[in-house]
Amino acid sequence: MPKLDTHDPHLVDILHRASLEREQQDRRLADIFGTQTVPKVMEETLAISLDYLTQHLEVPCQLTGIESLGCFAWEASYIFGRKRPKEYAQRKKQQPSYTDIYAFLSFAEEYDAYAGLAVKVKRVADSKRFVLPFAHLKAREKPSNNAQLLDDYAVWFVNGRR
């Protein structure tokens, strides 16, 4: 792999913008918690996050999966391994897929520091209902306030558990 030229103006610009975006995200997250720095994921910070999201998530809101990991990990073997389209189609009828479109219904009442917040959703295609981890979802409408809220939450949740 070729070595990156750290003096390349285009690369410097990309890195600078990424750094600024991360700083802005950290500021948004710290502001939610009323702290100077972004706090770790704990029961108390999840409660604050839930309260904030309940007040600021714009409904109606359509969601979809971020990727074929986490609660959608069952799909990985069909996507990257065994190609059994009929079996895959049958399982997709019963299980949530990262490619499905979901209508947000509400936040689940229970949460914990390991699993994070969960949401009750209804699959648009067949009205089947699921409870899914909020951190595994993204808003379909971009750019939007909801897209920013979901992205900020996912980044905080994934990085804040360490």
Side-chain angles (χ1 to χ4, degrees):
M1 182 171 177
K3 187 175 179 185
L4 296 176
D5 179 5
T6 56
H7 300 291
D8 177 356
H10 182 66
L11 180 60
V12 169
D13 183 54
I14 290 171
L15 294 173
H16 178 71
R17 281 187 283 128
S19 177
L20 284 175
E21 287 175 20
R22 180 60 192 252
E23 288 172 17
Q24 290 170 348
Q25 185 173 56
D26 285 351
R27 177 60 12 228
R28 285 192 306 272
L29 287 165
D31 287 349
I32 290 170
F33 300 103
T35 58
Q36 291 297 313
T37 59
V38 180
K40 296 288 183 196
V41 173
M42 302 177 292
E43 295 281 334
E44 303 85 54
T45 55
L46 279 169
I48 294 167
S49 181
L50 175 59
D51 183 55
Y52 183 86
L53 290 165
T54 299
Q55 292 177 40
H56 292 89
L57 191 70
E58 297 167 6
V59 179
C61 177
Q62 286 195 336
L63 308 167
T64 192
I66 293 175
E67 58 190 349
S68 62
L69 296 174
C71 67
F72 306 113
W74 69 269
E75 293 184 273
S77 64
Y78 294 99
I79 296 166
F80 301 111
R82 57 183 177 190
K83 305 285 186 193
R84 296 182 183 151
K86 289 181 183 176
E87 183 180 315
Y88 181 47
Q90 281 302 112
R91 285 192 69 185
K92 278 183 80 167
K93 289 179 184 177
Q94 300 305 315
Q95 295 182 263
S97 170
Y98 80 102
T99 62
D100 288 335
I101 299 168
Y102 305 97
F104 171 85
L105 300 174
S106 66
F107 284 96
E109 293 177 24
E110 295 184 17
Y111 56 86
D112 63 59
Y114 176 74
L117 301 177
V119 290
K120 296 176 184 178
V121 297
K122 178 173 67 172
R123 185 164 45 200
V124 172
D126 61 5
S127 296
K128 190 167 178 71
R129 293 173 184 250
F130 302 98
V131 176
L132 300 174
F134 195 55
H136 296 186
L137 300 169
K138 62 183 177 182
R140 289 202 64 227
E141 60 275 358
K142 292 182 183 178
S144 69
N145 183 51
N146 286 345
Q148 189 72 71
L149 288 171
L150 271 88
D151 182 62
D152 287 351
Y153 172 80
V155 168
W156 170 69
F157 181 72
V158 169
N159 293 330
R161 290 187 303 165
R162 297 180 189 170

